[in-house]
């Protein structure tokens, strides 16, 4: 059962088109698995469309602005141009010999090569957003990240499996948005696959930071 959702403000920004691609994809991924947020997005989208329609109707129309609809329809029906129809094929990604089907929201996103460190694996998503890095992060069973906080923000959308921290258990579909006020140590007993977005490296709160920095840079 999904327990963690994007805030109303974040969904409103998504509907308005105000979010970077990485966060928009995160909301799409969550909404594919969450009927509650699907409904909220549909309602807000309808409101935006209604407001836009009312705004357009508020302008006066003069005779010179009237379109010749018969000519437009005639031009369309007489055209011999045929658009190619593309069939969507969902991608899969392999981590440690296990194949994961990727959600539709990732169909048109280029995925980089897989890299591994310990029980963690990641594949970078090519969104070209400068300091914002987006990854598919995989935990092998028993894998985890040492206790850390965040210099910026970190979004995690759980695509498969589950992990826990001191706040409890997170399962498929959960949308987890964290910042520097939150410290945790995620561990996955049975393994999991996450969509992650961060705009800065992790800040480890235990151990010798110099030894842990490669892990932080790897995840970021």
């Amino acid at each position: 059962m999904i327990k963690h959702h994007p805030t109303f403000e974040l969904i409103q920004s998504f509907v308005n088109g105000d979010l970077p691609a990485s966060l928009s994809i995160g909301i799409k991924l969550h909404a594919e698995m969450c009927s509650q947020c699907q409904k909220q997005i549909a309602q807000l989208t309808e409101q935006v469309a209604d407001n836009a329609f009312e705004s357009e109707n508020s302008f006066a129309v003069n005779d010179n602005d009237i379109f010749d609809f018969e000519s437009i329809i005639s031009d369309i029906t007489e055209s011999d141009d045929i658009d190619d129809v593309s069939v969507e094929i969902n991608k899969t990604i392999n981590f440690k010999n296990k194949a994961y089907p990727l959600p539709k929201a990732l169909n048109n996103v280029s995925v980089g090569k897989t890299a591994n460190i310990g029980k963690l694996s990641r594949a970078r998503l090519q969104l070209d957003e400068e300091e914002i890095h987006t990854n598919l992060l995989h935990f092998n069973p028993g894998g985890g990240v040492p206790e850390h906080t965040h210099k910026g923000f970190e979004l995690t959308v759980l695509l498969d499996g589950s992990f826990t921290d001191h706040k409890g258990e997170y399962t498929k579909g959960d949308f987890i948005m964290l910042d520097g006020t939150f410290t945790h140590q995620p561990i996955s007993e049975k393994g999991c696959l996450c969509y992650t977005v961060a705009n800065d490296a992790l800040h480890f709160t235990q151990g010798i930071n110099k030894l842990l920095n490669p892990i932080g840079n790897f995840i970021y």
Side-chain angles (χ1 to χ4, degrees):
M1 178 180 176
I2 297 174
K3 295 180 290 185
H4 302 273
H5 307 267
T7 63
F8 174 84
E9 291 76 16
L10 205 54
I11 291 179
Q12 182 73 72
S13 295
F14 166 74
V15 171
N16 291 339
D18 295 333
L19 296 180
S22 51
L23 294 183
S24 291
I25 291 171
I27 290 180
K28 289 179 183 178
L29 291 171
H30 171 77
E32 283 187 35
M33 298 177 275
C34 177
S35 58
Q36 172 184 323
C37 289
Q38 284 178 20
K39 183 177 180 180
Q40 189 174 29
I41 289 170
Q43 290 172 340
L44 290 173
T45 301
E46 185 176 354
Q47 289 176 13
V48 169
D50 288 344
N51 291 339
F53 182 75
E54 290 175 3
S55 177
E56 288 178 2
N57 285 344
S58 66
F59 293 100
V61 178
N62 59 49
D63 292 339
N64 294 327
D65 293 329
I66 297 176
F67 295 102
D68 185 352
F69 286 106
E70 289 186 3
S71 296
I72 294 173
I73 296 300
S74 177
D75 290 341
I76 293 173
T77 55
E78 288 179 3
S79 174
D80 292 328
D81 294 337
I82 299 175
D83 292 332
D84 292 332
V85 177
S86 59
V87 178
E88 281 192 357
I89 300 176
N90 282 2
K91 294 180 179 179
T92 60
I93 190 167
N94 291 284
F95 287 107
K96 300 294 184 180
N97 299 319
K98 182 176 180 180
Y100 293 89
L102 295 181
K104 292 179 181 178
L106 296 177
N107 274 357
N108 297 319
V109 179
S110 297
V111 182
K113 294 181 179 180
T114 301
N116 305 288
I117 182 170
K119 292 187 176 183
L120 299 177
S121 303
R122 71 133 167 89
R124 187 87 73 197
L125 301 186
Q126 311 300 320
L127 296 178
D128 299 324
E129 292 185 315
E130 298 180 356
E131 77 277 3
I132 299 178
H133 291 181
T134 305
N135 297 300
L136 292 174
L137 183 65
H138 181 262
F139 290 59
N140 278 353
V145 180
E147 184 176 288
H148 64 276
T149 185
H150 308 90
K151 296 179 182 178
F153 72 82
E154 179 191 66
L155 166 65
T156 301
V157 181
L158 201 44
L159 302 180
D160 193 86
S162 64
F163 70 83
T164 59
D165 62 18
H166 70 285
K167 290 283 189 178
E169 183 179 30
Y170 304 88
T171 57
K172 183 176 179 178
D174 276 336
F175 183 101
I176 308 128
M177 194 74 164
L178 304 177
D179 58 22
T181 64
F182 194 90
T183 300
H184 70 152
Q185 183 176 353
I187 298 173
S188 181
E189 181 181 348
K190 297 182 180 180
C192 65
L193 177 64
C194 304
Y195 172 88
T196 66
V197 182
N199 65 343
D200 207 336
L202 307 184
H203 175 68
F204 292 100
T205 56
Q206 289 185 348
I208 303 173
N209 283 345
K210 288 184 178 180
L211 296 179
L212 298 177
N213 277 339
I215 300 176
N217 293 330
F218 176 82
I219 294 172
Y220 171 56

